[in-house]
């Protein structure tokens, strides 16, 4: 019985040690990448399509607003469609869009660890869709050039999902945290996104989904020298059609050949013919 007790204790210690190692890794990744993750708020009003009249909703100065994430890149910013066009998922605007146009009313941002939002000079000019209509890129940024570098290489990826979450019943920005989870994903040039499960937190012996989830990123390490590692932005976690999806928009998607038009038929270029006979002919 004593031997069994010692064995069980050793197993528990090994499990605890592995969990502690994982927590240390997650904390290191969060500290390294957290400075590139932003919480952004976009507000908008509506304009009468036939007159210079602007409106808010229910006595407010804005018609609608949304919270989402943005990512600092080397020389730019990455947004989601929730920030660039929040009216697309706003059911209130769907009732008014026939007669009114959405107009940006003001943007704010904060780092996840900050307690309050502050003014953000968002400029939609030059903000373009990437391979996915869920992700936008722009070179215009009020920050310095430091940030994550997009991962353009396909293949098997071992990295971390960093979710921006909150357990507050009210969508307060000062209650948001970054939740890191290790993850393995195969990124290909034919599959643009992967379906993801909403993150959960541990409650004694069970788990529960977080109350609020803004989105997140998938980062992978790249080793350039001994002891030198940088994190690449491999994916963006975006909610669409009431599902969380990990979009990998930086790997170029394979384009299918255009359909045949009339009598023209696309063909595949032939490989160069074996020129061994030519070589033989020259040696005669």
């Amino acid at each position: 019985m004593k031997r069994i007790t010692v064995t069980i204790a050793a197993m528990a210690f090994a499990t605890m040690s592995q969990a502690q190692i994982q927590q240390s890794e997650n904390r290191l990744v969060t500290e390294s990448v957290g400075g590139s993750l932003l919480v952004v708020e976009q507000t908008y009003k509506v304009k009468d399509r036939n007159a210079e009249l602007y409106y808010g909703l229910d006595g407010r100065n804005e018609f609608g607003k949304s919270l989402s994430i943005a990512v600092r890149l080397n020389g730019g910013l990455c947004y989601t469609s929730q920030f660039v066009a929040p009216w697309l998922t706003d059911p209130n605007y769907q009732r008014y869009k026939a007669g009114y146009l959405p107009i940006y009313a003001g943007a704010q941002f904060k780092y996840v660890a900050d307690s309050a939002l502050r003014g953000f000079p968002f400029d939609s000019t030059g903000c373009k869709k990437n391979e996915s209509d869920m992700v936008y890129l722009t070179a215009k940024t009020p920050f310095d050039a430091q940030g994550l570098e997009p991962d353009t290489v396909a293949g098997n990826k071992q990295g971390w999902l960093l979710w921006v979450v909150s357990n507050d019943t009210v969508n307060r920005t000062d209650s948001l945290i970054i939740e890191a989870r290790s993850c393995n994903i195969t990124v290909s040039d034919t599959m643009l996104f992967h379906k993801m499960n909403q993150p959960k937190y541990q409650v004694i012996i069970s788990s529960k989904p977080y109350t609020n989830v803004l989105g997140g990123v998938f980062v992978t390490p790249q080793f350039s020298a001994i002891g030198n590692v940088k994190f690449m932005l491999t994916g963006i976690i975006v909610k669409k059609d009431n599902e969380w999806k990990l979009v990998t928009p930086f790997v170029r998607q394979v384009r299918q050949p255009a359909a045949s038009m009339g009598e023209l038929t696309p063909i595949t270029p032939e490989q160069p013919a074996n020129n061994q006979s030519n070589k033989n002919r020259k040696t005669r």
Side-chain angles (χ1 to χ4, degrees), residues 56-259:
L57 187 69
D58 294 335
R60 302 192 303 268
N61 289 329
E62 77 273 350
F63 186 91
K65 66 180 178 180
S66 68
L67 277 176
S68 58
I69 66 159
V71 187
R72 289 179 58 178
L73 303 177
N74 282 338
L77 280 168
C78 176
Y79 301 115
T80 69
S81 57
Q82 186 65 30
F83 178 77
V84 178
W87 48 84
L88 294 180
T89 55
D90 187 349
N92 288 323
Y93 179 68
Q94 303 309 309
R95 297 186 289 115
Y96 287 91
K97 67 178 182 179
Y100 299 87
L101 292 169
I103 305 292
Y104 292 117
Q108 297 188 92
F109 89 100
K110 80 179 191 76
Y111 293 101
V112 179
D114 291 346
S115 59
L117 293 162
R118 41 190 157 153
F120 180 65
F122 171 66
D123 185 354
S124 61
T125 306
C127 193
K128 299 179 179 180
K129 295 179 184 178
N130 201 264
E131 291 291 327
S132 165
D133 62 357
M134 293 180 275
V135 176
Y136 289 73
L137 298 178
T138 179
K140 294 187 176 183
T141 169
F143 309 103
D144 58 33
Q146 294 183 350
L148 298 178
E149 183 177 332
D151 182 3
T152 60
V153 181
N156 296 328
K157 306 289 181 177
Q158 295 182 339
W160 289 266
L161 295 170
L162 274 67
W163 293 87
V164 180
V165 297
S166 170
N167 244 340
D168 202 301
T169 54
V170 180
N171 201 4
R172 288 170 40 197
T173 59
D174 61 351
S175 64
L176 294 167
I177 61 171
I178 298 176
E179 180 75 27
R181 309 282 174 87
S182 59
C183 182
N184 297 336
I185 293 288
T186 299
V187 177
S188 71
D189 55 5
T190 56
M191 184 176 180
L192 188 59
F193 58 80
H194 304 257
K195 182 179 177 181
M196 306 298 294
N197 294 322
Q198 181 168 330
K200 297 181 179 181
Y201 64 97
Q202 197 68 30
V203 182
I204 307 178
I205 59 173
S206 63
S207 59
K208 294 178 63 177
Y210 282 96
T211 305
N212 294 303
V213 181
L214 291 190
V217 295
F218 178 47
V219 296
T220 51
Q222 184 181 90
F223 300 92
S224 55
I226 296 177
N228 190 359
V229 59
K230 65 178 179 180
F231 291 100
M232 308 293 290
L233 179 61
T234 302
I236 311 292
I237 306 172
V238 183
K239 194 169 191 178
K240 186 174 184 181
D241 300 329
N242 210 32
E243 290 183 342
W244 287 107
K245 298 177 180 180
L246 175 63
V247 188
T248 54
F250 308 112
V251 174
R252 284 289 174 187
Q253 301 298 297
V254 172
R255 304 298 186 187
Q256 298 299 324

Side-chain angles (χ1 to χ4, degrees), residues 31-48:
E31 291 174 352
S32 300
V33 179
S36 295
L37 261 177
L38 304 176
V39 175
V40 287
E41 179 188 78
Q42 182 68 269
T43 60
Y44 75 97
K45 53 192 175 184
V46 296
K47 175 185 175 297
D48 192 312

Side-chain angles (χ1 to χ4, degrees), residues 16-26:
M16 181 181 65
S17 298
Q18 185 61 38
Q20 289 175 335
I21 292 172
Q22 187 65 60
Q23 288 176 358
S24 297
E25 287 183 354
N26 293 349

